[in-house]
Amino acid sequence: MIDAKTKVLGLLAHPIGHSLSPLIQNTLATVCGENVAYLPFEVKNPDELGAAIRGAHALGIAGFNVTVPYKEAVIPHLLGLGEEARLIGAVNTLVRTEEGYVGHNTDLAGMATMLARKNLRTEGAHILLLGAGGAARSAAVLAATGGAAELVILNRNPVRAEALAKAVRDITPSLTVRAAALEHWQELPGNDYLCIQCTSVGMWPNTEESIVEDPRFFEKLSAAADIVYTPEETKFLRLARAAGKPVAGGLAMLISQGAHAFSLWTGKRCTAEQEERLLTLAKGALPA
Ligand code: ATR
C-alpha cells in the first residue's frame, strides 16, 4: 500500500519496453516487507538525462536501475562510483545520498550468481568470452577479479576484442588474456573453457540464431552460460546442452543483479529460496 512513507525507486531507460525490473523489484518489496514503489521512468531525450537525475534527486527518489542506453552516459551526473562500477566503466544502479547519486554495478554479482547456481567456478577457470561490448566487459572484470587462470575474448570485430583485453590486463596484469576474431575459434588450444556468451545474438525474436553452431566448438567447452534470457534457454545453450555440457541461462543473472540492487537501496537481502521463487515468476512473464 502506497502511503506518505513509501520509498520511491525506479528504472531509467529508453525504451523501457518489456523490462522485467518493475516486476522483480516490486515483488522483492512484497517478499521482504519493504514499503517501496518501483516505477518505470523513460527518459526519451538523452540530452535531458542530467535534468532527470537532478530532478529525481530534488524529489528525494531513493534510487534507480539504469539500463540501455544510459549505463555509461549517466556517469558524469553522479557523485561517485562503487569499485565494480569503476572497473567496468558502467553503472546499473544509483543509490541516493544527500549530495547526489552514487553509481554501482551489480551485473558482476548477478553474473557470479548465475554461474554459482550451476556450480560453475571462475577460480582457476579458463574463461572464454564471446563478445566485447558492455556485457562482455562485466564478464571480463568478473574473470579478472574472480581468479580465472586465463581469459580468451573472441569478437566479430577483433579490434574491440583487443581493446577489452587491454583493459583487463590493466586491471589484473598477472592474468593471461588473449583476444582474437570470432572466426578463429577453431584455433583455441584448450578443451575446458567456461564460455560466457555476451552478445545479443539469439535474443527473442531471433531465437533460431546462435553465435556459433558448429558442434566442434562446443566440444572445447566445459560449460556454457548465456547472458540472454529471452528465451530462457537460447539456441546457444541448447547446442551446448546437446553436446553434454552444463549450461546457465541469463534469467538468474537478471534476478540476482536486481536482488543486489534492492539490497543496496533497502539493506534487505532476499534468501536464495526467495530468489528461486522470483525466477519462476519471471519465467512466466517472458515473451512466449
Ligand atoms: P552490450 O552492451 O549489450 O554488450 P554492445 O556494446 O552493442 O552491446 O555489444 C554487442 C556485442 O554483440 C558486440 O560484441 C558485437 O560484436 P561487434 O563488436 O563485432 O559488433 C556482438 N554482436 C552483435 N551482433 C552480432 C552478430 N550478429 N554476430 C556476432 N557478434 C554480434
Side-chain angles (χ1 to χ4, degrees):
M1 175 77 163
I2 291 177
D3 62 19
K5 293 199 174 116
T6 300
K7 184 183 274 190
V8 180
L9 300 164
L11 172 66
L12 287 178
H14 176 55
I16 294 260
H18 301 285
S19 171
L20 289 176
S21 290
L23 172 78
I24 293 170
Q25 297 299 342
N26 288 311
T27 305
L28 277 167
T30 307
V31 166
C32 296
E34 284 288 295
N35 186 356
V36 157
Y38 183 98
L39 305 168
F41 293 108
E42 184 161 10
V43 180
K44 290 188 178 157
N45 180 353
D47 293 339
E48 289 182 335
L49 183 62
I53 291 170
R54 281 193 302 279
H57 190 264
L59 288 168
I61 295 182
F64 290 94
N65 282 134
V66 183
T67 186
V68 179
Y70 296 131
K71 287 178 135 180
E72 293 168 23
V74 80
I75 292 175
H77 305 290
L78 304 179
L79 191 64
L81 296 178
E83 175 67 1
E84 284 161 354
R86 190 182 63 76
L87 290 175
I88 295 169
V91 151
N92 79 334
T93 303
L94 306 188
V95 178
R96 191 181 193 282
T97 70
E98 278 310 306
E99 296 78 34
Y101 290 101
V102 176
H104 296 267
N105 195 312
T106 66
D107 286 337
L108 200 80
M111 207 173 267
T113 302
M114 164 177 80
L115 299 176
R117 276 183 80 243
K118 297 297 168 92
N119 295 318
L120 304 177
R121 299 168 61 88
T122 53
E123 235 168 42
H126 297 263
I127 297 187
L128 170 60
L129 299 187
L130 304 180
R137 195 172 166 100
S138 293
V141 173
L142 178 65
T145 57
E150 179 198 19
L151 174 64
V152 182
I153 303 165
L154 298 183
N155 194 45
R156 181 175 60 181
N157 175 350
V159 175
R160 285 187 88 190
E162 184 47 49
L164 180 55
K166 183 179 176 313
V168 177
R169 287 185 203 112
D170 289 345
I171 295 171
T172 310
S174 59
L175 178 65
T176 304
V177 189
R178 291 187 292 138
L182 179 62
E183 66 210 40
H184 292 312
W185 65 261
Q186 297 197 42
E187 291 153 32
L188 289 172
N191 61 1
D192 64 344
Y193 296 101
L194 166 54
C195 180
I196 310 178
Q197 200 296 115
C198 296
T199 78
S200 53
V201 180
M203 188 185 288
W204 189 86
N206 304 313
T207 54
E208 280 314 306
E209 291 177 6
S210 171
I211 189 159
V212 194
E213 308 222 354
D214 193 322
R216 286 170 299 176
F217 173 80
F218 295 93
E219 284 166 18
K220 293 177 180 288
L221 310 186
S222 59
D226 199 327
I227 60 142
V228 173
Y229 57 87
T230 55
E232 188 197 338
E233 186 172 85
T234 57
K235 182 171 185 189
F236 178 77
L237 292 187
R238 286 207 310 274
L239 292 169
R241 202 154 51 82
K245 311 298 174 177
V247 299
L251 197 57
M253 174 178 163
L254 179 79
I255 303 289
S256 177
Q257 63 77 29
H260 278 90
F262 187 82
S263 156
L264 287 174
W265 296 320
T266 64
K268 291 271 177 73
R269 187 80 190 95
C270 66
T271 64
E273 195 180 286
Q274 286 165 336
E275 214 164 301
E276 290 299 319
R277 266 199 281 145
L278 206 52
L279 199 59
T280 309
L281 187 75
K283 279 177 195 171
L286 290 179

